[in-house]
Amino acid sequence: MSIRTPYLAVDVIVRLWEGERLKGIVLVERKNPPIGLAIPGGFVEVGESVESAAVREVKEETGLEVKLKGLLGVYSEPERDPRFHVVSVVFFGDAEGEPRAGTDAKEVKVFKLEEIPLDRLVFDHKRIILDYLRLR
């Protein structure tokens, strides 16, 4: 019997701090399709918890050590990713330091909450950011 399931991924809304001042939200400019801005994240590896995957993916893409603070939700719309059906567990967390692009990130950018370019976000990340801002 062959079982087919969606791919499992994680995304993390990273709030970048400098002491007690919120500098903004970290977004990754993707160098691989789909091209655009994305919340840092990626696929969960076999034998890895979603929490560990979230911390690992943020480190790989931005160089930041994120401290997860909560779970925003699970996003499972089959059309959310143009490549294939992906279910994403979305966290939010805090980091300090200077982000730098790694793995599939062309560039890492920090945006103040009111300056996030929602129309440049890929996947369903516009919906995720708006959900986060509404709950904040």
Side-chain angles (χ1 to χ4, degrees):
M1 181 170 120
S2 177
I3 298 174
R4 292 185 55 215
T5 63
Y7 291 88
L8 181 60
V10 291
D11 293 304
V12 184
I13 297 172
V14 179
R15 303 178 295 206
L16 188 63
W17 294 87
E18 185 171 42
E20 294 183 5
R21 183 177 75 84
L22 177 63
K23 292 175 72 173
I25 298 293
V26 176
L27 295 176
V28 173
E29 181 80 41
R30 293 177 51 83
K31 64 180 172 184
N32 298 317
I35 301 298
L37 291 172
I39 299 166
F43 294 105
V44 179
E45 296 175 0
V46 173
E48 184 178 41
S49 72
V50 291
E51 295 86 358
S52 294
V55 170
R56 175 184 54 76
E57 284 289 343
V58 169
K59 178 74 170 174
E60 287 177 2
E61 290 189 348
T62 70
L64 296 170
E65 298 281 348
V66 68
K67 291 184 176 90
L68 300 179
K69 296 297 183 177
L71 176 67
L72 179 63
V74 176
Y75 291 77
S76 62
E77 170 59 43
E79 303 297 318
R80 76 181 296 270
D81 189 318
R83 302 168 295 178
F84 32 71
H85 186 181
V86 176
V87 173
S88 184
V89 179
V90 181
F91 296 94
F92 56 92
D94 296 326
E96 289 193 48
E98 193 62 39
R100 58 179 172 21
T103 61
D104 65 347
K106 179 179 174 184
E107 195 174 345
V108 179
K109 301 179 179 187
V110 180
F111 293 94
K112 293 181 181 179
L113 296 179
E114 63 277 5
E115 295 176 358
I116 297 170
L118 296 172
D119 293 337
R120 292 192 52 217
L121 294 170
V122 296
F123 307 119
D124 60 350
H125 291 186
K126 177 179 179 178
R127 176 181 166 211
I128 292 170
I129 292 287
L130 289 173
D131 286 351
Y132 172 75
L133 292 174
R134 286 183 180 112
L135 292 173
R136 193 172 172 275

